Amino acid sequence: MRHIWAFPSFTALSLFQTTPAASAVTRARQAINTSPPLALLRTKRGFQTQARLLTKSATKTTLVEEMVTVNTTSRLTALRSLMKERNVHVYIVPSEDSHASEYIADCDARRTFISGFSGSAGTAIVTLDKAALATDGRYFNQASKQLDSNWYLLKTGMQDVPTWQEWATQEAEGGKLVGVDPQLISSAIAEKLDEDIKNAGGGGLVGIKENLVDIVWGSEQPPRPSNSVFLLGQQYAGKDTAAKLADLRKELDKKKASGFVLSMLDEIAWLFNLRGSDIAYNPVFFSYAIVTQDSATLYIDEAKLTDECKTYLQKNKVTIKPYGVLFEDSEELARRAEADSKDAKPRKYLISSKGSWALKLALGGNKFVDEVRSPVGDAKAVKNDVELNGMRNCHIRDGAALTEFFAWLEDQLVNQKAQLDEVDAADKLEQIRSKHKDFVGLSFDTISSTGANAAVIHYKPEKGACKIIDPNAIYLCDSGAQYLDGTTDTTRTLHFGTPTAKEKKAYTLVLKGNIALDSVVFPKGTSGFAIDVLARQFLWKSGLDYRHGTGHGVGSFLNVHEGPIGIGTRKQYIDVALAAGNVLSIEPGYYEDDAFGIRIENLAIVKEVKTEHSFGDKPYLGFEHVTMVPYARNLIDESLLTPDEKDWLNRANKKILEKTLGYFENDPLTKAWLLRETQPF
């Protein structure tokens, strides 16, 4: 059976009024503070009360990521009715939007709406009589609490548990059709799934023009954001768009390609030195772009651009076109390529391997399109000197903010006997961060978790549904911020009372893994997959482990999760070697359900290091961690540390003290806490 596909009709979106600003940080904050109400819910905690009041319907309140079960019966009934009308027996609801974004705007939270599960990763598969939700180990605990009795939980990666593709394929046996919105699935996954379904006796995969979940959602679906876009100055970006376009064109020439069609939002923001706030915590904006050897076109609603942005784009020879005409232009490129192919072998257009099935088909399919690891993504992941210095500097300020917060929290809980819940703590941390230079907002929802909640890897506290912080239990805080000069992501685990021997041992094993990975030296060409074991080795010796990656790439005032590099067991981490200039996290952990959770996370820059020898004439690489926050002394079992590990801690603490102590000259409480926590071992 042939693929059935079509594109949704794109219409102009209503725009929010933008206001000129005097500085970049003011523009960035205004972009956040003028977002529509539902976006504010996740963007700034200070607006949560207002947003909650504005979000009255039962449907909309499901976007509040509380650890509650949602009754999905009526939604599934409505979806199945639409499936029957379109002769579809299985329907796939991915997490991503049409740009393959990990974090999405509220209007694109279709999988959350239909399933009730609000984690950032997972795929829903609905048949005419069953429904399954597949997610990875980070979210097993959360999904088990949020899914109602309509759903099967597919624990991805567990032995004998099918992947969502396998489950959908099984359900399609007997000639059944599987449907999906072709904009929400990559071409590679779609084509492989279609083949697997047919090989198993199913009818194949069909692309359906209308998104069926959108129809069920109806008028309750939040509006698509269309917030102001601003220019990121050269003092932060370090390289102008003209130079970045020149580098990209060199890659196109090497690959003998006609052009590159960009669909990843962070890649577009980086390439054109623009930032926005269409997706909470991620300074990106809805757009596409096409770059050829002699043209560069940005597809965006022009009203979102300030005069400064337009002038900059014009200076860098970038044409602006409406967001909604990208697919029309892509089809026109395909027609031209078809005409040209009559006389000569056509040069193909490149799209990212994460590009949508719909985009590839619009450009003419396999005959005229090659899917590649994005050259823009690769370039973006190697930070220039300006970006690297920005990351170092913003982490000093961010470290000072976290140190002040932890000192305050301990004083409140232990000395003042205050009753603070997890949201109160998160709000206080954001307030402290906001005092610092170039702060724009948070980089993700703060994970402020006490006791058993710390075992929920991606826990998000909500007022009225969270716990009072127990000073006699583990407290885990995973948080980050967006600054004009960089993006931060730090996790620290603390105990404000007397930890148990079990908690101390677990914390120390995690710390030893963090130190081992931070200290490694490896030859150029080594992947993050190859070194993941270093962080897990001490846990493994005790029969322990954790169900998440050890590290992810981090953007420069961009997405806190950035490809293509990382540390872990994902296939992509085998294929992509770490390179000098990469910035990524090192974050081993350990989690005991219904008891406690431990994670220690630093961000680190990959750098060249000097070695006594140079086998194979290869450069050797190592890490420079830039996070400036002390470790929890009372959770460390010194008897488990080697002399080298103690030396590492002493050097790290000395640097933290040197870089951040000056922030607390007029703050004796924080100063005393910092001096105590950084004493030599």
Side-chain angles (χ1 to χ4, degrees), residues 154-394:
L154 300 178
K155 295 184 176 181
T156 303
M158 299 295 285
Q159 188 173 356
D160 300 324
V161 174
T163 65
W164 69 263
Q165 295 97 325
E166 290 168 342
W167 197 86
T169 298
Q170 292 167 11
E171 293 300 317
E173 291 176 3
K176 296 174 183 176
L177 293 176
V178 179
V180 69
D181 181 339
Q183 289 200 68
L184 304 184
I185 188 170
S186 74
S187 176
I189 291 175
E191 291 172 1
K192 177 68 165 59
L193 182 58
D194 179 62
E195 180 183 354
D196 290 346
I197 292 169
K198 289 174 179 175
N199 288 340
L205 182 69
V206 297
I208 301 177
K209 176 178 179 179
E210 314 112 314
N211 188 289
L212 301 188
V213 175
D214 286 354
I215 297 173
V216 175
W217 211 341
S219 62
E220 299 290 350
Q221 187 175 16
R224 180 161 295 280
S226 188
N227 302 327
S228 177
V229 173
F230 62 95
L231 178 66
L232 186 68
Q234 191 81 353
Q235 71 272 33
Y236 301 111
K239 193 172 188 179
D240 66 18
T241 292
K244 293 178 180 180
L245 287 171
D247 290 342
L248 175 56
R249 286 172 176 137
K250 290 177 185 175
E251 291 300 314
L252 294 178
D253 192 51
K254 287 179 186 176
K255 292 178 169 60
K256 299 186 180 344
S258 291
F260 183 50
V261 182
L262 289 84
S263 56
M264 301 293 289
L265 300 183
D266 61 333
E267 294 182 7
I268 297 168
W270 177 85
L271 182 63
F272 296 106
N273 287 341
L274 302 175
R275 298 294 188 269
S277 62
D278 282 347
I279 295 178
Y281 307 119
N282 299 273
V284 298
F285 47 91
F286 287 110
S287 55
Y288 289 96
I290 298 178
V291 177
T292 69
Q293 287 293 356
D294 54 12
S295 69
T297 305
L298 175 63
Y299 293 84
I300 185 172
D301 294 320
E302 189 172 347
K304 298 168 69 167
L305 298 171
T306 63
D307 289 341
E308 184 181 26
C309 292
K310 293 175 186 177
T311 299
Y312 178 79
L313 292 171
Q314 184 178 28
K315 176 184 175 183
N316 285 273
K317 299 180 180 179
V318 178
T319 301
I320 301 167
K321 281 193 172 185
Y323 176 77
V325 305
L326 179 277
F327 282 94
E328 293 176 27
D329 282 7
S330 297
E331 290 173 324
E332 176 59 28
L333 291 174
R335 285 190 288 270
R336 290 181 193 171
E338 181 68 50
D340 293 343
S341 68
K342 294 175 183 178
D343 300 321
K345 183 179 179 181
R347 281 193 166 206
K348 293 186 176 183
Y349 277 87
L350 306 180
I351 64 171
S352 164
S353 54
K354 293 185 178 181
S356 73
W357 188 24
L359 180 58
K360 182 176 180 179
L361 292 171
L363 287 162
N366 289 321
K367 184 177 180 181
F368 301 115
V369 179
D370 275 339
E371 297 164 84
V372 298
R373 195 175 78 228
S374 171
V376 176
D378 285 354
K380 175 168 56 65
V382 178
K383 275 58 177 176
N384 60 51
D385 288 342
V386 171
E387 291 171 321
L388 292 175
N389 284 330
M391 288 298 257
R392 294 183 181 99
N393 292 332
C394 74

Side-chain angles (χ1 to χ4, degrees), residues 648-660 678:
W648 184 96
L649 276 169
N650 288 337
R651 285 184 283 108
N653 283 336
K654 181 181 178 183
K655 188 174 181 181
I656 291 166
L657 198 62
E658 290 173 350
K659 297 289 186 181
T660 64
T678 55

